Amino acid sequence: MAKKKADPADPKGSGYLANIAYDSVVFGFSGEKLKILLIKYHNTGLLALPGGFVGRNENLNDAVKRGLKERTGLDNIYLEQFYTFGDTARFKPEIMRTILKANGHIVNNDHWLLDRFISVSYYALINYTDVVPKPDALSDSCTWYDIDKLPALILDHTTIVAKALETLRANIDKKLVGMNLLPVKFTMKQLQNVYEAILGEKMRRTTFQRTMLGTGLLKRHEKHYSGKAHKAPYMYSFR
Amino acid sequence: MAKKKADPADPKGSGYLANIAYDSVVFGFSGEKLKILLIKYHNTGLLALPGGFVGRNENLNDAVKRGLKERTGLDNIYLEQFYTFGDTARFKPEIMRTILKANGHIVNNDHWLLDRFISVSYYALINYTDVVPKPDALSDSCTWYDIDKLPALILDHTTIVAKALETLRANIDKKLVGMNLLPVKFTMKQLQNVYEAILGEKMRRTTFQRTMLGTGLLKRHEKHYSGKAHKAPYMYSFR
DNA sequence: TAATTATTGTCTCAATTTGAGACAATAATA
DNA sequence: TATTATTGTCTCAAATTGAGACAATAATTA
């Protein structure tokens, strides 16, 4: 079949579903701080959550996994859908136009990318240490930012991050949060640091240790000699 | 401006966003049973959740409220978005075609209604007693069904109901569930019946009463004389 | 080599919450 | 007037949580 030039006003030609986008809040943990991935668009300084579109023959969840794999190189990422944002107030075609223009794309007003989008949002938990973030075609960087020192983001992305964190907090006891943010083996103190970073509050050491061991989900391994002048802690992993 | 015949292959002409639908799981409580609203499509016997589409200039949440108002006559319904279903497996254009045909609409293969849809799903809690369900143009009935005696539903609607119930259970302590399913004034037993219907398990009466009163959310009113041969219970309302 | 320091793992005891039932009060009926 | 079914409250035991004590220990320092 001869390749025809697609009509940029018709989303079908793009291969993507119309009016639907996804955004992902990628959490990582490092240096006792909770962080998320943000991308910066070429020549604009605009910061945003990594996101994308859904192929016409692709599962929604798979589209998000695909996007994350491109950004992090990781397969089998822990993913949780938490909310779909659909207010008309998030429709600001000038922003997308600015981004496209800064990348050398001049588009008509009826281009499908300038139409209104509803964003299905996910959060991901990944092991910070085995990721080298990669930007995509439109962005010149993909970098970690401290969750409590976030810069201004485009559209409603600040709201999206807030809701992601709220959901993560609500889920911290139900889902195995620590398992996904830490290396396979970790100390009890590291695990507690993760909990404290997510909840934004200090926890009592002895109670934390008791309840964690009480779940029966942890497996104890050899001790870890850090070289510091104190008793060496055990390493643990999730069963 | 002269009215032009809209191209049915172009969703923009319809006034709705493409590829996006919503479905709502409307919970009501009656006779110690939890129930949901289902619609039946004309001449097909097909049962489905009440749903609809999002206007191009309409907030997603407002679209759902609008749909519910049409079905129940109620404003200010308690609504909670819980998941967005986006698998390709839910794309079955023959079903929509069957429904349209049974209503006398013959449509082309490229009609926007036959395209793939992602469903943003909500659950609603309403006071059963002040609702008279109304069907819409495509459906011939809108009726209550027992949550544990559900008939087969189209597409993935059974999965959607299951996830709605799961979320409702998870939220039962965080959100004021009883408030929205009961009349303004109710007895402690009625409230317990709601909890038991949602959780699907019996609860201990004295413990339930203690914890409910302990929240400080209930206001006690006059007694209610049912005519039965036993002590009359107090009525309560949420503050 | 022996004190010192900074943790870590475990234990204890009090405080709080939850489970399970006892019991008196009471609205209609027999 | 006794009976029945249910309600509101109270009690006591069991389980969980809060708060801290204390010994163990890996390096450092005296």
Side-chain angles (χ1 to χ4, degrees), chain A residues 181-193:
Chain A
L181 287 168
L182 289 171
V184 175
K185 289 187 182 179
F186 48 88
T187 66
M188 193 60 81
K189 182 154 183 53
Q190 286 179 291
L191 186 57
Q192 185 171 349
N193 283 339

Side-chain angles (χ1 to χ4, degrees), chain B residues 16-231:
Chain B
Y16 294 109
L17 293 177
N19 303 316
I20 296 170
Y22 69 83
D23 286 295
S24 38
V25 181
V26 182
F27 288 106
F29 181 77
S30 160
E32 315 198 357
K33 292 278 188 178
L34 194 60
K35 296 168 185 280
I36 65 170
L37 279 184
L38 295 178
I39 62 170
K40 184 190 278 175
Y41 288 110
H42 277 303
N43 309 323
T44 63
L46 294 176
L47 285 159
L49 292 169
F53 306 103
V54 183
R56 291 185 55 81
N57 296 306
E58 189 180 31
N59 287 337
L60 171 59
N61 291 337
D62 291 338
V64 183
K65 281 182 205 155
R66 172 176 54 78
L68 285 182
K69 180 162 167 68
E70 285 162 11
R71 288 303 193 327
T72 66
L74 295 179
D75 266 323
N76 285 100
I77 290 182
Y78 179 89
L79 252 191
E80 199 80 40
Q81 190 202 290
F82 65 92
Y83 200 73
T84 297
F85 296 85
D87 275 4
T88 52
R90 68 191 314 284
F91 177 37
K92 294 192 176 160
E94 330 81 61
I95 292 184
M96 184 51 107
R97 180 191 296 283
T98 302
I99 291 168
L100 289 172
K101 195 180 280 181
N103 278 269
H105 304 285
I106 305 294
V107 296
N108 285 335
N109 277 336
D110 62 354
H111 192 284
W112 71 280
L113 277 171
L114 299 184
D115 199 0
R116 176 179 164 200
F117 280 90
I118 277 180
S119 165
V120 188
S121 299
Y122 289 73
Y123 70 81
L125 304 179
I126 70 178
N127 184 345
Y128 183 91
T129 53
D130 45 45
V131 165
V132 185
K134 287 185 216 49
D136 67 5
L138 288 179
S139 49
D140 67 4
S141 71
C142 186
T143 338
W144 293 104
Y145 286 77
D146 256 40
I147 192 75
D148 42 35
K149 277 182 267 173
L150 285 190
L153 306 180
I154 64 166
L155 301 176
D156 56 352
H157 287 201
T158 301
T159 309
I160 296 180
V161 173
K163 182 105 179 171
L165 187 56
E166 184 187 308
T167 312
L168 178 59
R169 282 179 180 160
N171 287 344
I172 196 168
D173 284 326
K174 279 169 285 188
K175 326 254 173 176
L176 288 174
V177 168
M179 176 160 66
N180 301 289
L181 287 169
L182 288 172
V184 176
K185 288 186 183 178
F186 49 87
T187 65
M188 192 61 81
K189 181 151 185 53
Q190 286 180 293
L191 185 58
Q192 185 172 347
N193 283 339
V194 169
Y195 272 72
E196 291 180 341
I198 291 173
L199 297 175
E201 59 184 24
K202 293 286 173 193
M203 305 177 82
R204 186 156 282 273
R205 182 182 64 90
T206 55
T207 310
F208 182 81
Q209 180 133 342
R210 178 173 56 192
T211 50
M212 278 300 146
L213 293 176
T215 63
L217 295 171
L218 294 182
K219 194 171 158 191
R220 181 175 279 180
H221 299 277
E222 73 287 0
K223 291 189 170 191
H224 172 249
Y225 298 87
S226 65
K228 300 283 180 60
H230 56 73
K231 189 173 177 180

Side-chain angles (χ1 to χ4, degrees), chain A residues 101-147:
Chain A
K101 195 179 280 181
N103 280 270
H105 304 285
I106 304 295
V107 297
N108 286 335
N109 279 334
D110 62 355
H111 192 284
W112 70 281
L113 278 171
L114 299 184
D115 199 0
R116 177 178 163 199
F117 280 90
I118 277 179
S119 165
V120 188
S121 300
Y122 289 73
Y123 70 80
L125 303 179
I126 69 177
N127 184 345
Y128 183 93
T129 53
D130 45 43
V131 165
V132 184
K134 288 186 212 61
D136 66 7
L138 288 179
S139 49
D140 66 5
S141 73
C142 186
T143 338
W144 292 104
Y145 287 77
D146 255 42
I147 192 76

Side-chain angles (χ1 to χ4, degrees), chain A:
Chain A
M1 199 193 246
K3 194 170 179 184
K4 246 189 1 186
K5 179 133 184 175
D7 173 6
D10 182 5
K12 285 188 190 175
S14 73
Y16 293 109
L17 293 177
N19 303 315
I20 297 170
Y22 68 83
D23 287 296
S24 39
V25 181
V26 183
F27 289 105
F29 182 77
S30 159
E32 315 199 357
K33 293 277 189 178
L34 195 61
K35 295 166 186 280
I36 64 170
L37 278 184
L38 294 177
I39 61 169
K40 184 190 277 175
Y41 288 110
H42 277 304
N43 309 322
T44 63
L46 294 175
L47 285 159
L49 292 169
F53 305 103
V54 183
R56 291 186 54 82
N57 296 306
E58 189 181 31
N59 287 337
L60 171 59
N61 290 338
D62 290 338
V64 183
K65 281 182 205 155
R66 171 176 54 78
L68 285 182
K69 180 160 168 70
E70 285 162 11
R71 288 300 194 328
T72 66
L74 294 180
D75 266 323
N76 284 100
I77 290 182
Y78 179 89
L79 253 191
E80 200 78 42
Q81 189 201 292
F82 65 93
Y83 200 74
T84 297
F85 295 85
D87 276 5
T88 52
R90 68 189 313 282
F91 177 37
K92 294 194 175 157
E94 329 83 58
I95 293 185
M96 185 50 109
R97 180 191 296 283
T98 302
I99 290 167
L100 289 171
K101 195 179 280 181
N103 280 270
H105 304 285
I106 304 295
V107 297
N108 286 335
N109 279 334
D110 62 355
H111 192 284
W112 70 281
L113 278 171
L114 299 184
D115 199 0
R116 177 178 163 199
F117 280 90
I118 277 179
S119 165
V120 188
S121 300
Y122 289 73
Y123 70 80
L125 303 179
I126 69 177
N127 184 345
Y128 183 93
T129 53
D130 45 43
V131 165
V132 184
K134 288 186 212 61
D136 66 7
L138 288 179
S139 49
D140 66 5
S141 73
C142 186
T143 338
W144 292 104
Y145 287 77
D146 255 42
I147 192 76
D148 42 35
K149 277 183 266 173
L150 285 190
L153 306 179
I154 65 167
L155 300 177
D156 56 351
H157 286 200
T158 302
T159 309
I160 296 179
V161 173
K163 182 103 180 173
L165 186 56
E166 185 188 306
T167 312
L168 179 59
R169 281 180 181 162
N171 287 344
I172 196 168
D173 285 325
K174 277 170 286 189
K175 325 256 174 174
L176 287 174
V177 168
M179 177 162 65
N180 301 290
L181 287 168
L182 289 171
V184 175
K185 289 187 182 179
F186 48 88
T187 66
M188 193 60 81
K189 182 154 183 53
Q190 286 179 291
L191 186 57
Q192 185 171 349
N193 283 339
V194 169
Y195 272 72
E196 291 179 341
I198 291 173
L199 296 175
E201 59 185 24
K202 292 287 174 191
M203 305 176 80
R204 186 155 282 273
R205 182 182 65 89
T206 55
T207 310
F208 183 81
Q209 181 132 343
R210 179 173 54 191
T211 51
M212 278 300 146
L213 292 177
T215 64
L217 296 171
L218 296 181
K219 194 171 158 189
R220 181 175 277 179
H221 298 277
E222 73 288 1
K223 292 189 171 191
H224 171 247
Y225 298 86
S226 63
K228 300 282 180 59
H230 56 72
K231 189 173 178 179
Y234 289 109
M235 301 285 279
Y236 295 90
S237 67
F238 285 94
R239 289 189 190 286

